[in-house]
């Protein structure tokens, strides 16, 4: 049986049960659940509570806790004594729990302090079956250390408590034996005080992650990519990690225009992970990689499928988002860098880079592309993002270079700043010539004509 306290779909039940009503219905044998086969429980404010305001009693969700519960979600609830009582009862009443999701709206309704029951010593000791934990509320270092003892924990979403020390233990600590997905959230909308990605990465210092496959860090600011990735290199398996995303979610502030560029040396610690298939790094200001550094990157990640190194160029000013392309130096990466990914990443399907196209030359690109001999397979890239790239070269030459490398391309992002006139016409023309949206209605586009011409010659 599945019980939900608000109607979200066909078959869902909405019920409001205070203590007196529950006693009348089920007798006085609480905390024994009246639903002996209940396996999934989602606790939230009922629809009627949200629409009428907190003038009616909230349900006593503890009535439904029991030994058969394997999935428990606390959703959209204020952090109050009622929620803390539910969590305090979980280790005793739900020994078979496998999934625990705590989605609380801290900044709106409750405290941003860690939830007391999750901080208690021994809270997780009886919940050895837990495999999926999502806590959208500050989680202190001692609570994370307790999670290392869970033998089946595979997925963890957490918001770090910044007041705690996340230093590397002096003695070797127990690893997270089964954890393969880790999401560390430091965004401003989940906490009163924003957390930088560098501070989030310090969470990894408490243990070793021998089977971690997917690491995501989201924050308002980044900090030093080199320091972040040095921590990742030291605490994650070089063979297991396949996906890493470190992204900034907020608009660029005026002070960010003085940030140092991200260069190849900053991300070199990540080259130790040879099995990476997804890499997404988003910083506030600028990525500046030479073509030789892009070759090193392509050779380091032969299994790459998705790569995004396009920065965020937006500035928040008087509640409006304004791009600041004009204040950003042109990229040093050229179209020649795309050759390295076409040759050395045979599984790459999605690529996003800042690339200077001013000196585009299709003859040079073709000679470089085929200089190493025949291709083992046609490059499978279908999505290419070349946003915020000024100055721009001749649109037809640029498109011919791309067609030479990626004949299967289906989507091309050539967004440009409306506030910057220089080069905008060239990018608009490039977008028109590619004409991906016309493919299904008007037949072959100029790009596909180029593909047939260039690839038919070899």
């Amino acid at each position: 049986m599945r019980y939900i306290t608000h109607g979200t779909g066909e078959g869902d039940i909405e019920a409001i049960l205070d203590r007196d009503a529950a006693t009348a219905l089920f007798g006085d044998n609480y905390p024994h659940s009246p639903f002996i086969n209940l396996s999934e429980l989602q606790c939230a404010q009922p629809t009627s509570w949200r629409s009428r305001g907190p003038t009616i009693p909230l349900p006593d969700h503890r009535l439904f806790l029991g030994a058969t519960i394997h999935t428990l979600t606390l959703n959209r609830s204020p952090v109050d004594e009622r929620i803390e009582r539910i969590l305090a009862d979980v280790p005793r009443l739900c020994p078979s729990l496998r999934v625990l999701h705590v989605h609380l709206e801290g900044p709106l309704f409750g405290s941003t302090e860690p939830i007391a029951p999750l901080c208690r010593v021994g809270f997780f000791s009886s919940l050895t079956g837990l495999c999926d934990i999502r806590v959208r509320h500050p989680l202190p270092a001692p609570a994370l250390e307790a999670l290392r003892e869970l033998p089946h924990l595979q997925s963890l979403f957490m918001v770090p408590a910044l007041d705690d020390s996340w230093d590397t233990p002096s003695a070797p600590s127990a690893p997270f034996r089964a954890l393969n997905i880790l999401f560390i959230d430091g965004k401003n909308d989940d906490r009163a005080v924003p957390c930088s990605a560098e501070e989030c990465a310090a969470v990894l210092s408490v243990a070793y992650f021998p089977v971690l496959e997917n690491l995501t860090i989201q924050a308002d600011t980044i900090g030093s990519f080199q320091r972040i990735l040095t921590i990742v290199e030291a605490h994650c398996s070089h063979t297991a990690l396949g996906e890493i995303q470190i992204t900034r979610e907020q608009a660029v502030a005026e002070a960010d225009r003085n940030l140092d560029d991200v260069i190849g040396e900053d991300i070199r610690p990540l080259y130790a992970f040879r099995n990476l298939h997804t890499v997404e790094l988003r910083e506030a200001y600028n990525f500046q990689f030479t073509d030789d550094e892009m070759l090193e990157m392509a050779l380091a990640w032969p299994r790459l499928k998705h790569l995004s190194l396009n920065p965020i160029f937006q500035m928040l000013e008087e509640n409006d988002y304004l791009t600041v392309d004009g204040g950003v130096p042109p990229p040093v990466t050229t179209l020649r860098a795309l050759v390295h990914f076409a040759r050395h990443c045979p599984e790459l399907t999605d690529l996003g880079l800042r690339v200077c196209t001013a000196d585009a030359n299709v003859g040079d690109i073709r000679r470089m592309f085929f200089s190493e001999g025949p291709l083992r397979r046609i490059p499978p890239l279908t999505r290419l993002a070349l946003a915020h790239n000024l100055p721009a070269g001749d649109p037809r030459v640029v498109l011919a270079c791309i067609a030479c490398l990626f004949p299967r391309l289906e989507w091309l992002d050539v967004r440009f700043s409306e506030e910057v006139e220089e080069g905008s016409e060239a990018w608009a023309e490039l977008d028109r010539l590619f004409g991906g949206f016309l493919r299904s209605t008007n037949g072959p586009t100029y790009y596909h004509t180029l593909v047939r011409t260039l690839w038919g010659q070899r």
Side-chain angles (χ1 to χ4, degrees), residues 51 61 68 234 263 341 350 358 375 391:
S51 61
H61 297 103
T68 58
I263 60 177
F341 292 102
D350 193 337
L375 294 175

Side-chain angles (χ1 to χ4, degrees), residues 56-77:
I56 57 176
L58 282 171
D60 188 350
H61 297 103
R62 290 186 300 167
L63 290 166
F64 304 95
L65 298 180
T68 58
I69 295 288
H70 65 65
T71 299
L72 174 63
T73 302
L74 304 180
N75 191 28
R76 293 180 175 272
S77 301

Side-chain angles (χ1 to χ4, degrees), residues 15 36 55 64 67 81 85 105 107 112 154 227 245 248-249 288 320 343 374 390 392 395 409 422-423 451:
I36 60 175
T55 59
F64 304 95
E81 293 182 359
R85 286 199 302 267
E105 297 180 350
T112 57
Q154 298 177 3
R227 283 194 287 271
Q245 299 181 54
R248 173 192 178 108
E249 295 300 307
Q288 288 287 33
D320 291 323
R343 292 282 327 189
L390 294 173
L409 197 66
E422 180 185 358
V451 168

